Amino acid sequence: GENVEQHPSTLSVQEGDSAVIKCTYSDSASNYFPWYKQELGKRPQLIIDIRSNVGEKKDQRIAVTLNKTAKHFSLHITETQPEDSAVYFCAATSGTYKYIFGTGTRLKVLA
Amino acid sequence: NAGVTQTPKFQVLKTGQSMTLQCAQDMNHNSMYWYRQDPGMGLRLIYYSASEGTTDKGEVPNGYNVSRLNKREFSLRLESAAPSQTSVYFCASILGTGSYEQYFGPGTRLTVT
């Protein structure tokens, strides 16, 4: 069945450094790839997304890249700040609107 | 505009009891979802409704039933709760028709003893 693998499960970086989280998907029909940030006890919130007809998208310190051939996409956070500490989830969906999520990455930004 | 709302926020059940989790959205969205979130497991799709009048199974549907009552409301029912259903449950919705952004409700923390 459809699957999304996410790595690493935990990531610690020094404040100001960059963080990269990677996801691999199995369904070649997937065409939309969102990233969510979830703070402790809160709901997931969309931080950036990319569609299959685009290779890269950037929003200030956050960027997402997509490699359709290899079926993987990555989240890049530059100049990390303590408030970036959270759990990050990737997801993939095709036109059926069925979403499959990765298992999450706990990011810790050390001051 | 309240977005996606869920009731209750917290619930404790005994094994074998039943309950219904309620979800409503006021954004005129077409598709609605139920997820469960367990530590280290991420968000797993239980059921979803791509449009009013349709429902489909997700990854972990066993032990659950759903009803898309109307365009606004999508409920999740546990007929005979089990300790393995202890989890945080999130409802979500998307507009659809080319707009894919999911909006999540605040979650329901369910404990089954």
Side-chain angles (χ1 to χ4, degrees), chain A residues 96-97 99, chain B residues 25 28-33 48-52 54 68 71 74 92-97 99 102-103:
Chain A
T96 63
Y97 299 128
Y99 287 71
Chain B
Q25 52 86 14
N28 201 34
H29 283 181
N30 291 301
S31 302
M32 298 185 73
Y33 303 78
Y48 68 109
S49 171
S51 61
E52 188 179 356
T54 69
R68 183 76 183 265
K71 192 171 185 180
F74 189 38
S93 69
I94 69 169
L95 178 59
T97 57
S99 175
Q102 272 196 333
Y103 293 81

Side-chain angles (χ1 to χ4, degrees), chain A residues 10 17 20 28 40 67 70-71 75 81 91 93 96 99 105 108:
Chain A
T10 60
D17 286 351
V20 180
S28 55
L40 192 62
N67 183 327
K71 290 195 274 188
L75 177 70
Q81 300 167 4
T93 186
T96 63
Y99 287 71
T105 296
K108 294 181 187 176

